[in-house]
Amino acid sequence: MIQTPATAPKKSLLKKLLLAGIILLLAGGAAVWYIFTREFEDTATQEAAYTVSAMPFMEEFRNNIDEANKKYSEKIITVNGRVTEIEKADTAVNIKMADTGTGDYIIFAFQQQHIKAAKQVQVGDSIAIKGSCSAGVYSDILETGFITFKRCSINK
Amino acid sequence: MKKTTLIIALAVLAVSAFAQKKTTTSATVKFDAATPLDALPVAENKTVVAAIDTKKGTVAFEAVVKSFNFSNPMMQEHFNGERWFNSEKFPKTTFTGKITNLSAINFSKNGTYEAKIEGELTMKGITKPLSTTATITVNGDVLITASEFTIALADYDISDAKGKIAKEPKIFVSAELK
């Protein structure tokens, strides 16, 4: 078929628009795929926003739980303290640092790749644990305050 | 002296073995909202507080919403957002209930028993009745429990505009209480 001078540029423009559309579609798809398949980074490689000691940290929550939650919730924190209890949690373990005077405690659940190291820890060990601070709340069951951490790693 | 020590040790053991309130701060709750259309990752909370009173038959759980952990940051954000659990406003999810067939469970004899539980589940500030069954394995002074049930998200004002997640997610609960 012989193209007239008027239809040739139109077809060329159409091709370019089609190509741009496909590229945009692929880029969008890749972005969505990345967002929905992205995983949390290894906590061990992340920088802590705060480094605290267990006892004053619990005291800070006791004194003003709302302010403490605003400050620490969903942030990476390193907590230095003495292990008071190790509890079985499904196939993993959780480590606890408790204030024996008040009953308040901090509990750390570990990221999959750090469970093995957590299982080596003993009650009485003085260690540093880095993790994402979930929140501090009051337990109506235990009648005490507690602070939970997720995705933790033993800080070496 | 040795006799006194032995008596004290036996008394402590007896109190521990027959303590009627068993607790843990490491119960696990898994939240699975996957559908055949979308294999969403399971959220897992391993720092749930749980208690069973073996004499009264009461059961209680409390979970910090922000402690539910996803492998994916976007899912984590959605889960805690206003449309979903709104964890800023409602930081805890709780269950309080009772074992209705308490006489069928012998807490002083090792074995696995099926418990019928009725109670109330509070999520996002909304309380609804919940009935389920659970297995309770008695192993000395330790109770190992497991339960599985579904909840209707609409009952708790949780909506998913895109309709990709299960309307009735499966909840798995397991705990080792001492």
Side-chain angles (χ1 to χ4, degrees), chain B residues 28-124:
Chain B
T28 298
V29 175
K30 292 177 186 173
F31 180 94
D32 182 3
T35 63
L37 285 175
D38 214 329
L40 294 166
V42 175
E44 195 174 54
N45 184 342
K46 288 182 177 176
T47 53
V48 176
V49 177
I52 293 179
D53 188 315
T54 57
K55 198 172 177 186
K56 294 177 186 165
T58 55
V59 179
F61 281 81
E62 57 187 5
V64 174
V65 177
K66 282 186 179 175
S67 294
F68 278 93
N69 183 42
F70 284 85
S71 54
N72 177 275
M74 174 68 85
M75 302 287 177
Q76 184 97 41
E77 205 181 311
H78 280 184
F79 189 82
N80 285 287
E82 274 184 38
R83 293 180 70 93
W84 271 66
F85 281 85
N86 198 358
S87 60
E88 283 296 329
K89 196 173 175 188
F90 306 104
K92 280 198 302 185
T93 287
T94 60
F95 174 81
T96 52
K98 239 181 158 172
I99 300 171
T100 57
N101 63 335
L102 191 61
S103 59
I105 302 158
N106 188 345
F107 287 105
S108 53
K109 190 181 174 189
N110 284 359
T112 300
Y113 306 89
E114 186 178 283
K116 290 175 184 168
I117 298 166
E118 281 180 14
E120 290 181 325
L121 178 67
T122 303
M123 295 198 315
K124 214 180 173 182

Side-chain angles (χ1 to χ4, degrees), chain A residues 35-36 38-40 73-74 87-88 90 92 94 96 105 107 134 138-142 148 150-151, chain B residues 21 24-26 28 30 46 49 51 60 62 64 66-67 69-76 92 176:
Chain A
I35 288 166
F36 283 94
R38 190 164 74 94
E39 295 201 346
F40 279 104
S73 182
E74 302 297 353
E87 246 181 355
K88 193 169 175 260
D90 203 10
N94 290 337
K96 288 171 76 175
Y105 67 91
I107 188 161
S134 301
Y138 181 81
S139 167
D140 294 308
I141 295 174
L142 303 171
T148 64
K150 55 186 177 285
R151 295 192 304 277
Chain B
K21 193 177 178 184
T24 180
T25 55
S26 294
T28 298
K30 292 177 186 173
K46 288 182 177 176
V49 177
E62 57 187 5
V64 174
K66 282 186 179 175
S67 294
N69 183 42
F70 284 85
S71 54
N72 177 275
M74 174 68 85
M75 302 287 177
Q76 184 97 41
K92 280 198 302 185
E176 191 175 303

Side-chain angles (χ1 to χ4, degrees), chain A residues 5 9 18 41 55 63 70-71 73 110-111 125 131 134 142:
Chain A
L18 197 68
E41 285 173 42
M55 300 298 267
N63 291 342
K70 269 185 206 161
K71 184 176 173 184
S73 182
F110 288 82
Q111 217 166 14
D125 287 355
S134 301
L142 303 171

Side-chain angles (χ1 to χ4, degrees), chain A residues 28-50:
Chain A
V32 169
W33 181 84
Y34 172 75
I35 288 166
F36 283 94
T37 58
R38 190 164 74 94
E39 295 201 346
F40 279 104
E41 285 173 42
D42 186 339
T43 303
T45 66
Q46 290 184 271
E47 199 169 326
Y50 297 96

Side-chain angles (χ1 to χ4, degrees), chain A residues 52-131:
Chain A
V52 298
S53 293
M55 300 298 267
F57 186 58
M58 282 185 266
E59 200 180 342
E60 204 174 332
F61 274 86
R62 244 190 329 269
N63 291 342
N64 193 334
I65 198 164
D66 292 335
E67 282 303 313
N69 274 319
K70 269 185 206 161
K71 184 176 173 184
Y72 296 115
S73 182
E74 302 297 353
K75 294 205 173 64
I76 299 293
I77 319 278
T78 298
V79 184
N80 294 293
R82 192 176 153 272
V83 175
T84 54
E85 197 180 344
I86 297 166
E87 246 181 355
K88 193 169 175 260
D90 203 10
T91 55
V93 291
N94 290 337
I95 288 177
K96 288 171 76 175
M97 294 177 184
D99 178 340
T100 48
T102 62
D104 291 353
Y105 67 91
I106 311 170
I107 188 161
F108 304 92
F110 288 82
Q111 217 166 14
Q112 189 61 37
Q113 60 269 41
H114 300 296
I115 291 171
K116 197 178 168 186
K119 284 180 176 174
Q120 307 298 316
V121 174
Q122 305 284 316
V123 169
D125 287 355
S126 287
I127 58 169
I129 300 175
K130 187 160 62 169

